[in-house]
Amino acid sequence: MIQETCQVTGTELVTEETFVVSFESKRIAETIQPGQFVNVRSWFGSDPLLRRPFSVYTVDRDRFVSILFNVVGKGTRILGGLRKGDLIDVIGPLGTPFNLNLNGMKTAVLVGGGLGVAPLPVLTSRLKEKNVRVHTYLGARSKSQLIPSFLENLSVATDDGSSGFHGTVVDLLERELPELDQTPVALFGCGPNPMLRGLSALASKKGIACQISLEGPMGCGFGICQGCPVRLSTGAEEYVLMCREGPVFDSTLIEV
Amino acid sequence: MSEQVKTAFELKGVSFKNRVFVASGTFGYGDECLDLIDPSTIGGIVTKSLSRKRREGNPPDRIVETAGGMLNSIGLANIGVEAFVREKLPRVKTLGTGVVANIAASSIDEYCEVLEMLEREEGVDAFEINVSCPNVREGGLSFGMSCPLTEELTRALRPRTRKPLIIKLTPNVSHISEFARAVEGAGADAVSVINTLIGLAIDVETRKPKLSTVTGGLSGPAIKPVALAKVYEVSRAVSIPVFGIGGISDARDAIEFLLAGASAVQIGTANFVDPSTATRVAAGIESYCSRHGIVDVSDLIGAMDASQRVSVVDTWL
Ligand SMILES: Cc1cc2nc3c(=O)[nH]c(=O)nc-3n(C[C@H](O)[C@H](O)[C@H](O)COP(=O)(O)OP(=O)(O)OC[C@H]3O[C@@H](n4cnc5c(N)ncnc54)[C@H](O)[C@@H]3O)c2cc1C
Ligand SMILES: Cc1cc2nc3c(=O)[nH]c(=O)nc-3n(C[C@H](O)[C@H](O)[C@H](O)COP(=O)(O)O)c2cc1C
Ligand code: FES
């Protein structure tokens, strides 16, 4: 984990509402693992106050890192206005990454809902380095919100049917899973909680290993505030920290 | 070369490098972000509140950002005193900084038990007592909201430790200085002022409170003027040192607390934004003193120039 003030190297609008902001950080580019996140701030003063957490979207030439987001509030509005040469203060890499060393995994199925696509490009490239076959399922409200770059063997689902399957990405996956399931397969999901619940249920029905990446409010992002509890599925009232034990969890161990 | 500024702070024979500490619950147990800060640059670490047994804490959501601050309802989630002694203290006591163990409990007996377990531990330099905890005997009303109970608690703890005993007061009372006087009389060596202010935030779309516990504790820059006024009020009421806490993000904020009457300061919420805040604050106070020809940081304590002002703590008319 490092803290570094980085130079923004570019801002790009990849859909009507989705920004990609890139910045230069050799140290984060070299050490980030898929599923880990950075906690950033590009403003001074107290409003907004806290940093904002984002998955690392892409890593380029071991030097450049990008994040992907929609403008949904004060923090993302400021981040969306960043220009080349502006400064952004970054703490990272944070959190527990996806586990890529699953016993005998030959095929990985990546499932992203909405902006949950963010951690999938880095995950894809690391899986390919390990010679794992990658299939990707992407869901969005409509065609204009799909962000299909840097992904492998893509299938899409939209809520309005404007592209690909008309319905949820989990429903689409459920139809196609039998074909993928010929070799040992593992699921990797990121997206809104209802999607992750559906994915976890599907995984347990089929007995497939499934890791999901969560999001939620964070105070610090590195384990000092206790502000990010995730309930364990033990039945008892027991919590772990999303920023430290997560944001990636085995879907059987927690309650979404 | 200007003369070296004297920064050290002594409390009941225990010496701290300087007057800047990190506040309870905002720096974990001290070993979480050693990649990002060198604790030997600060006066001390106040631990997350420690209870007799591990506490899981409240369900999500536990935090929400508000204008210039945040609300939290962590629910005193902590690993428990035994795990702290076993897993955290061995490392934390070697960091070259003071270690203040903050204690939370739901009965006076439990406070005493936790304190006694830590009293024998080398490496714990002082105690801070979090009185903003529900008291089971009183049906959940917090100790810190009853002056007699806060006094009784202090009296019970005092003979059980030779280390400095700091009582951390809640601002959610009418007259905080009464509480400060009571604990001074009961043998406290210092008071910490303030803990968080009770607050509420509501999502108007769903009409639900944003925190799982409905209300929570407000902290951050938004509370600084309130905290300063409380420190001012308390420091004029007692002669024991006051730790000033509330919304400090930089050296100028900290100096305001010293001028208002604090002998030392604690940094809370700002650690989440920048974990090296306390380091910067300590260095900034020193350079302020050099610039102003102040030889000892203690010369700033209560040095606000309120001449030709009428001080009215309780009214604004
Ligand atoms: C580990 C992690 C990874 C994330 N990765 C991405 C990503 O790659 N792309 C992306 O667009 N978003 C991501 N998010 C969500 C993103 O952090 C929030 O959308 C963002 O903080 C909103 O900030 P704001 O100031 O614009 O919104 P505001 O609504 O003004 O934020 C107010 C507060 O609420 C919190 N908050 C609000 N909504 C969310 C939410 N959905 N999740 C978490 N915190 C929230 C904020 O952190 C902030 O403290 C991630 C969250 C986490 C925890
Ligand atoms: C997330 C969070 C957790 C806290 N936990 C504790 C705690 O366990 N014990 C305690 O005495 N104070 C606790 N506090 C209160 C702080 O120590 C401090 O008194 C308060 O936040 C005001 O300072 P600040 O504005 O600098 O944050 C907590 C504060 C926050 C924000
Ligand atoms: S966000 Fe602070 S502990 Fe997880």
Side-chain angles (χ1 to χ4, degrees), chain B residues 228-250:
Chain B
L228 272 170
K230 300 293 175 198
V231 165
Y232 177 62
E233 181 187 334
V234 166
S235 68
R236 287 167 28 120
V238 296
S239 52
I240 50 176
V242 177
F243 283 83
I245 318 172
I248 299 174
S249 342
D250 59 26

Side-chain angles (χ1 to χ4, degrees), chain A residues 1-3 39 41 43 45-52 74 89 91-92 94 216-232 237-241 244, chain B residues 25-29 32-36 48 54 56-70 74 77-78 88 219-222 269 271-276:
Chain A
M1 165 169 66
I2 60 158
Q3 180 178 2
N39 210 1
R41 174 167 140 116
W43 49 86
S46 53
D47 199 20
L49 178 67
L50 300 170
R51 289 169 180 271
R52 298 295 191 257
K74 282 180 190 162
D89 194 75
I91 295 180
L94 297 170
M218 287 187 175
C220 64
F222 44 90
I224 61 172
C225 77
Q226 299 284 330
C228 58
V230 175
R231 191 169 174 168
L232 293 174
E237 198 162 318
E238 288 182 277
Y239 300 100
V240 289
L241 297 181
R244 198 175 57 200
Chain B
T26 67
F27 210 74
Y29 306 98
E32 285 85 349
C33 52
L34 296 175
D35 291 356
L36 304 183
K48 176 73 192 165
R54 179 189 165 87
E56 288 298 325
N58 292 329
D61 287 346
R62 288 182 185 173
I63 54 173
V64 58
E65 194 177 276
T66 56
M70 61 180 279
I74 305 298
N78 79 95
K88 301 291 182 178
S219 66
T269 303
N271 294 313
F272 306 156
V273 179
D274 182 355
S276 61

Side-chain angles (χ1 to χ4, degrees), chain B:
Chain B
M1 249 319 264
S2 66
E3 225 179 307
Q4 191 83 39
V5 177
K6 187 168 174 291
T7 59
F9 170 48
E10 216 178 276
L11 187 61
K12 204 189 183 198
V14 178
S15 184
F16 299 94
K17 185 169 297 168
N18 59 46
R19 295 171 186 269
V20 183
F21 292 67
V22 285
S24 181
T26 67
F27 210 74
Y29 306 98
D31 67 343
E32 285 85 349
C33 52
L34 296 175
D35 291 356
L36 304 183
I37 126 151
D38 172 7
S40 75
T41 54
I42 66 175
I45 293 169
V46 186
T47 67
K48 176 73 192 165
S49 279
L50 300 166
S51 50
R52 178 68 189 83
K53 297 278 178 219
R54 179 189 165 87
R55 283 181 59 110
E56 288 298 325
N58 292 329
D61 287 346
R62 288 182 185 173
I63 54 173
V64 58
E65 194 177 276
T66 56
M70 61 180 279
L71 287 169
N72 87 78
S73 66
I74 305 298
L76 298 170
N78 79 95
I79 58 176
V81 62
E82 281 161 284
F84 171 76
V85 167
R86 207 171 48 236
E87 295 159 23
K88 301 291 182 178
L89 190 56
R91 176 93 195 268
V92 175
K93 72 181 181 193
T94 65
L95 297 177
T97 193
V99 178
V100 180
N102 180 297
I103 301 176
S106 50
S107 68
I108 290 182
D109 287 346
E110 188 190 344
Y111 275 109
C112 291
E113 202 183 341
V114 177
L115 180 124
E116 280 172 344
M117 291 171 77
L118 290 165
E119 173 68 9
R120 31 177 205 265
E121 292 302 326
E122 180 211 332
V124 173
D125 297 308
F127 293 109
E128 183 180 72
I129 308 304
N130 179 3
V131 297
S132 306
C133 308
N135 172 8
V136 283
R137 202 181 70 196
E138 304 279 320
L141 180 80
S142 95
F143 289 89
M145 290 190 185
S146 152
C147 197
L149 256 181
T150 307
E151 185 177 345
E152 186 189 338
L153 172 62
T154 310
R155 248 184 240 298
L157 292 170
R158 178 67 282 173
R160 293 180 156 82
T161 176
R162 279 181 304 197
K163 297 175 181 175
L165 179 65
I166 308 159
I167 309 295
K168 183 168 181 180
L169 301 177
T170 165
N172 303 307
V173 297
S174 319
H175 295 285
I176 194 171
S177 48
E178 281 174 17
F179 290 71
R181 265 194 227 102
V183 302
E184 181 181 40
D189 299 306
V191 285
S192 290
V193 176
I194 56 177
N195 211 318
T196 53
L197 290 150
I198 293 173
L200 168 65
I202 305 169
D203 181 330
V204 296
E205 297 302 323
T206 61
R207 300 191 188 183
K208 289 191 193 319
K210 291 187 178 176
L211 293 177
S212 66
T213 51
V214 186
T215 57
L218 183 64
S219 66
I223 72 168
K224 195 186 86 177
V226 178
L228 272 170
K230 300 293 175 198
V231 165
Y232 177 62
E233 181 187 334
V234 166
S235 68
R236 287 167 28 120
V238 296
S239 52
I240 50 176
V242 177
F243 283 83
I245 318 172
I248 299 174
S249 342
D250 59 26
R252 303 186 75 82
D253 293 338
I255 292 163
E256 278 190 80
F257 276 87
L258 298 173
L259 294 174
S263 294
V265 296
Q266 295 180 15
I267 315 285
T269 303
N271 294 313
F272 306 156
V273 179
D274 182 355
S276 61
T277 304
T279 301
R280 276 192 295 108
V281 167
I285 293 175
E286 217 176 316
S287 72
Y288 172 90
C289 288
S290 305
R291 266 191 296 122
H292 290 266
I294 294 160
V295 293
D296 188 331
V297 178
S298 68
D299 295 342
L300 292 172
I301 301 169
M304 171 171 69
D305 180 3
S307 56
Q308 287 150 41
R309 300 290 205 287
V310 186
S311 167
V312 278
V313 164
D314 214 11
T315 168
W316 50 83
L317 295 176

Side-chain angles (χ1 to χ4, degrees), chain A residues 17 28 32 62-63 76 98 124 126 134 140 190 200 202 204 225 230 234 249 252-253:
Chain A
E17 51 180 5
I28 289 175
I32 193 93
D62 274 349
R63 259 179 75 192
T76 45
F98 286 107
T124 301
R126 300 297 161 88
V134 177
C190 185
S200 304
L202 176 63
S204 63
C225 77
V230 175
T234 51
F249 293 96
T252 59
L253 299 182

Side-chain angles (χ1 to χ4, degrees), chain A residues 13-19 70 144-145:
Chain A
L13 206 50
V14 292
T15 72
E16 278 165 20
E17 51 180 5
T18 307
F19 290 86
N70 285 359
S144 64
Q145 274 131 11

